[in-house]
Amino acid sequence: MASTDSKEHEKQLEGWFYPSEEIKSEAYVSSMDRYKELYQKSIDDPAGFWGDIANEFYWKVPPSKEKFMQFNFDTREGKVFIKWMEGAVTNISYNLLDRNVEKGLGDNVAFYWEGNFPGDSKQITYSELLSEVCKFSNVLKDKGIKKGDRVAIYMPMINELVVAMLACARIGAVHSIVFGGFSAESLAERILDSTCKVLVTADGSYRGAKLIDLKEISDEAIGKCKDQGFTVETCIVVQHVGGGSGNGTVSPRTSPVAKKPCPPIQTNFNSAVDCWWHELMSCASDKCEPCWTDAEDPLFMLYTSGSTGKPKGVLHTVGGYMLFTAVTFKYVFDYHPGEVYWCTADIGWITGHSYITYGPLANGATSVLFEGTPFYPDSGRFWGVVDKYHVSKFYTAPTAIRALMKFGKAVVQKYNRKSLKVLGTVGEPINPEAWLWYYRTVGDERCVIVDTYWQTETGGHVITSLPGATPMRPGAASFPFFGVVPAIVDEHGKELEGACEGFLVMKQPWPGMARTIYGNHERFERVYFSKFNGYYTTGDGCKRDSNGYYWITGRTDDCMNVSGHLLSTAQIESALVEHDAVTEAAVVSCPHKEKGEGIYCFTTLMEGVEFNEQLIKELKQKVRSKIGPFATPDVIQNSPGLPKTRSGKIMRRVLRQVAKNDKKIGDVTTMADSSVVDNLFHNRPHVDFIQE
């Protein structure tokens, strides 16, 4: 026995970790041989593999084998297109709700809602969720919403958010959810691009001790739309932070923590546009026949940052997305009936769409829906919630893990966490130190970690480990999911074999893949298929080791992954130069001990303007108001000159080295004036969070 323990210790020192026999014994995929067998089938016979999964769902018109997968990635062969199960007819809301109720799961809890304040909680069963979705479907129809119309949703993490999105899906409308941290300008931009006639929001939300006035932001966004000549016809408002009723009269509710009223919020109410959710729902029928949609009909759009600075509305369709989120949820988290699953993401991002709403509900799962933060009222909140609901599958971001590490082990170990089996990470590559802390401190060295790589555009996990099969390596995304065929290419588009490093691309589609950018298919082709013709380009760098494991190395375009949020450098630069004091700006990412990547801004000022703390404060506020608080710059540096080529192009690789305080800047023979580099290093402020 001592010899076995010694060998296991040696393996761990080499960076190898293995699922326990207990995990393997109940896993759907319990060995790498089984994984390889299923993976090969998914590649060789997509119609057979995905057809077996499709048979688990209800179809008004079943998929045909002949039209199961159709695609063209080669721009020389005409228009890029991706189609799965075209001609098949179904409704995703029916499959997530009615089908589960008919299977006898009506009394099962769909969501345990855990509010911002401990003790503020409730639950909703599948039957209750179906009833609420039908009511709100009828509300939307009464407001003139029909199949194909777009509905904007700007809400906190509450049950009504799930109800709203599934009601859209039930009647064939297309939901566009905007993260509640976005500014009024960002919200307006998304409403205008998708021409949403209806906005669904709430009076406000809490983020720790901070009260956010969502209605005020929504009103400002509606006003900005009107200035652009577009009218939002209806704004439906959930009374979440207020406890009263009636137009504009919102009395404060009581905080379960402080046992005293929360700060009051005064809701401005325009009766020509605004409607209270509860008043509309009180007289709505709880019966609503689903709108039967083609598998390739649009389900939702979700805006993500583009390298040009203009967000793009990534469009997903009904059938393929339903299959892919259902099967990735089942296999990647190894979810079994009766378990409680918790994804800590916000539904305003793709993680919340796929792995809070659609994937879990498609499997009849019981989930935790969490409005709060990891640090309120203290840094033990996550683990207290895990114990409260006996969570067995837990999914969070490396940013949260790194932030929690600094509070030490004691705050984690005061909770037993014995229910945990699978720990997931999402949003960005996880550094080995955070992985090991997660594994040892949170998981007590008995839980499996699944490191999931995917994007808004992929709809679900495309490279990941599987709990019962994959030997784990800290920081490795591991292997492709079923149906996904990755490749690594060099800058000329040549496929690299074996151990290598280059650009990550995909050779064929999978069911959950995005179909287009809303209203701009040409941009879809240009962004994702033109760089390496015949491949879907992820925009991420990747290396493959001698064991075949894939490791994501970061963005290769002008985007940054900050705390799991994809941000465009151009979008932040645009906000900075709107300030009268700034003549030019350049933004790059910098290493950040907690976020992974931080936002480092170089600003060139107008002649005679003083660079001081007040200006820095104003510039940060400019970005916050233009994009949202989550995009606030970490560093703003005074940069009288920027490194440029003789043709005037900013040399961002040099700026990235300055941000890191690394003077190995490489070849600068093409730089117009190399003296600016010395000035940049001289002006560079010291910042504690940058890993120098």
Side-chain angles (χ1 to χ4, degrees):
M1 189 68 184
S3 175
T4 303
D5 289 345
S6 176
K7 287 180 180 178
E8 179 62 26
H9 182 63
E10 287 175 13
K11 285 284 188 184
Q12 292 197 10
L13 289 176
E14 294 168 9
W16 291 93
F17 297 79
Y18 295 88
S20 67
E21 289 303 318
E22 180 184 356
I23 295 286
K24 291 173 68 174
S25 68
E26 64 180 29
Y28 294 114
V29 182
S30 58
S31 69
M32 284 302 292
D33 286 342
R34 179 59 176 156
Y35 159 74
K36 290 173 184 175
E37 177 188 337
L38 288 169
Y39 179 74
Q40 203 59 47
K41 180 182 178 182
S42 74
I43 303 307
D44 295 341
D45 181 19
F49 181 86
W50 294 105
D52 289 344
I53 294 164
N55 288 337
E56 298 174 18
F57 293 91
Y58 175 79
W59 302 87
K60 200 81 167 175
V61 177
S64 68
K65 194 167 186 179
E66 295 73 29
K67 287 190 170 182
F68 222 91
M69 181 178 76
Q70 307 167 77
F71 75 100
N72 172 44
F73 279 7
D74 193 334
T75 55
R76 295 166 302 188
E77 298 294 324
K79 193 174 181 180
V80 168
F81 68 88
I82 304 108
K83 296 178 181 179
W84 283 84
M85 303 173 290
E86 186 183 27
V89 177
T90 189
N91 180 279
I92 196 168
S93 171
Y94 182 92
N95 275 290
L96 270 55
L97 301 175
D98 307 62
R99 180 179 63 101
N100 281 318
V101 171
E102 290 162 7
K103 286 165 61 176
L105 304 181
D107 292 335
N108 287 17
V109 173
F111 291 103
Y112 290 110
W113 178 75
E114 179 73 11
N116 180 71
F117 304 105
D120 199 2
S121 58
K122 55 188 172 185
Q123 64 186 48
I124 188 168
T125 66
Y126 274 86
S127 290
E128 291 167 340
L129 186 56
L130 172 58
S131 175
E132 292 296 291
V133 167
C134 285
K135 286 181 184 179
F136 198 64
S137 298
N138 289 320
V139 166
L140 289 175
K141 288 199 292 185
D142 188 56
K143 294 299 177 184
I145 298 298
K146 56 188 184 302
K147 182 182 177 183
D149 287 343
R150 281 76 58 205
V151 175
I153 302 174
Y154 183 67
M155 296 175 76
M157 288 287 287
I158 53 179
N159 290 338
E160 288 86 350
L161 172 52
V162 176
V163 170
M165 61 197 300
L166 292 181
C168 290
R170 194 169 191 85
I171 64 174
V174 181
H175 61 72
S176 173
I177 300 178
V178 180
F179 170 55
F182 273 113
S183 67
E185 186 154 340
S186 293
L187 174 58
E189 183 177 38
R190 286 152 176 77
I191 292 173
L192 285 166
D193 187 73
S194 52
T195 57
C196 296
K197 295 188 293 185
V198 170
L199 170 63
V200 187
T201 189
D203 52 2
S205 66
Y206 287 99
R207 189 76 180 161
K210 184 180 180 182
L211 177 61
I212 301 166
D213 193 332
L214 294 177
K215 180 59 166 61
E216 183 179 53
I217 297 169
S218 297
D219 289 345
E220 186 181 344
I222 290 170
K224 288 179 181 292
C225 290
K226 191 173 183 180
D227 292 342
Q228 295 294 318
F230 179 78
T231 300
V232 175
E233 297 174 6
T234 304
C235 180
I236 301 173
V237 187
V238 175
Q239 248 176 16
H240 176 53
V241 300
S245 63
N247 294 353
T249 310
V250 181
S251 61
R253 65 192 176 110
T254 300
S255 159
V257 177
K259 305 296 184 186
K260 61 183 182 181
C262 301
I265 183 168
Q266 181 64 40
T267 302
N268 292 320
F269 210 84
N270 176 2
S271 58
V273 177
D274 297 331
C275 309
W276 287 116
W277 171 292
H278 62 277
E279 291 179 356
L280 296 174
M281 293 286 277
S282 67
C283 53
S285 168
D286 64 357
K287 299 290 186 291
C288 180
E289 178 70 13
C291 172
W292 301 105
T293 55
D294 189 280
E296 279 299 311
D297 279 343
L299 173 63
F300 68 85
M301 67 180 73
L302 185 58
Y303 285 84
T304 185
S305 291
S307 58
T308 63
K310 179 178 170 56
K312 49 191 186 289
V314 174
L315 191 71
H316 284 280
T317 52
V318 174
Y321 179 81
M322 177 174 72
L323 262 58
F324 199 66
T325 53
V327 77
T328 47
F329 174 80
K330 177 180 177 180
Y331 284 107
V332 174
F333 300 110
D334 206 56
Y335 182 83
H336 296 268
E339 293 178 328
V340 177
Y341 159 85
W342 181 19
C343 171
T344 69
D346 192 288
I347 292 178
W349 304 110
I350 188 64
T351 301
H353 281 59
S354 298
Y355 299 116
I356 293 179
T357 302
Y358 288 107
L361 292 176
N363 284 273
T366 295
S367 302
V368 175
L369 186 65
F370 181 59
E371 186 192 10
T373 79
F375 314 106
Y376 186 81
D378 58 51
S379 58
R381 185 71 190 279
F382 270 6
W383 323 123
V385 173
V386 164
D387 277 5
K388 178 178 179 178
Y389 296 107
H390 306 292
V391 173
S392 59
K393 310 297 164 73
F394 178 74
Y395 196 31
T396 197
T399 300
I401 296 166
R402 286 190 292 267
L404 290 164
M405 284 172 65
K406 67 184 179 185
F407 295 100
K409 296 179 181 180
V411 72
V412 181
Q413 292 171 343
K414 68 187 276 192
Y415 302 95
N416 69 51
R417 297 158 285 109
K418 295 301 182 187
S419 58
L420 288 172
K421 297 178 182 177
V422 175
L423 304 174
T425 72
V426 60
E428 58 186 301
I430 184 169
N431 55 305
E433 296 80 8
W435 193 100
L436 290 167
W437 186 85
Y438 200 27
Y439 178 76
R440 290 169 176 158
T441 303
V442 178
D444 289 332
E445 300 190 23
R446 57 181 177 75
C447 295
V448 171
I449 293 182
V450 289
D451 183 351
T452 62
Y453 168 75
W454 59 298
Q455 304 171 313
T456 301
E457 297 86 348
T458 73
H461 308 137
V462 287
I463 301 178
T464 179
S465 48
L466 296 180
T470 315
M472 296 168 282
R473 301 206 68 183
S478 300
F479 297 103
F481 190 74
F482 306 132
V484 177
V485 186
I488 297 176
V489 299
D490 65 16
E491 64 271 21
H492 305 295
K494 179 186 175 184
E495 277 193 42
L496 305 175
E497 302 297 328
C500 59
E501 185 168 350
F503 298 87
L504 179 64
V505 297
M506 304 295 178
K507 300 172 73 170
Q508 68 181 49
W510 52 95
M513 186 178 186
R515 303 303 196 254
T516 190
I517 290 172
Y518 179 74
N520 196 342
H521 192 74
E522 186 276 331
R523 187 182 183 193
F524 182 69
E525 293 181 332
R526 185 178 70 251
V527 170
Y528 301 111
F529 298 93
S530 64
K531 185 176 177 67
F532 301 114
N533 195 54
Y535 300 96
Y536 165 79
T537 303
T538 65
D540 285 308
C542 183
K543 66 179 181 180
R544 185 171 51 223
D545 66 22
S546 57
N547 295 295
Y549 282 70
Y550 288 82
W551 303 69
I552 307 302
T553 57
R555 299 297 298 177
T556 60
D557 56 14
D558 291 330
C559 289
M560 301 176 290
N561 193 330
V562 179
S563 298
H565 307 325
L566 194 63
L567 296 171
S568 160
T569 57
Q571 197 175 10
I572 299 170
E573 289 163 0
S574 175
L576 290 168
V577 298
E578 281 191 9
H579 194 288
D580 292 339
V582 179
T583 182
E584 191 172 23
V587 176
V588 297
S589 65
C590 62
H592 194 294
K593 291 176 182 176
E594 288 184 12
K595 296 180 182 179
E597 285 188 89
I599 302 171
Y600 199 112
C601 307
F602 297 86
T603 55
T604 303
L605 305 183
M606 301 291 286
E607 195 70 34
V609 173
E610 182 185 354
F611 185 83
N612 53 34
E613 288 301 318
Q614 179 59 33
L615 178 59
I616 292 173
K617 185 177 179 181
E618 289 175 14
L619 291 174
K620 288 185 177 183
Q621 184 56 42
K622 193 74 177 173
V623 176
R624 288 172 66 92
S625 61
K626 184 83 175 176
I627 304 171
F630 61 93
T632 304
D634 295 289
V635 182
I636 297 179
Q637 177 175 333
N638 183 24
S639 314
L642 293 171
K644 296 179 182 179
T645 63
R646 291 180 182 87
S647 63
K649 184 178 180 181
I650 295 173
M651 300 177 74
R652 293 177 190 277
R653 65 173 176 82
V654 174
L655 293 179
R656 281 190 281 268
Q657 294 303 98
V658 174
K660 291 188 290 186
N661 202 23
D662 185 348
K663 297 190 176 181
K664 298 173 186 173
I665 60 173
D667 183 13
V668 293
T669 54
T670 61
M671 192 181 296
D673 179 7
S674 58
S675 68
V676 302
V677 177
D678 291 334
N679 288 332
L680 288 172
F681 277 108
H682 177 74
N683 288 341
R684 182 187 180 278
H686 172 72
V687 243
D688 292 334
F689 60 75
I690 292 183
Q691 300 165 329
E692 298 180 0

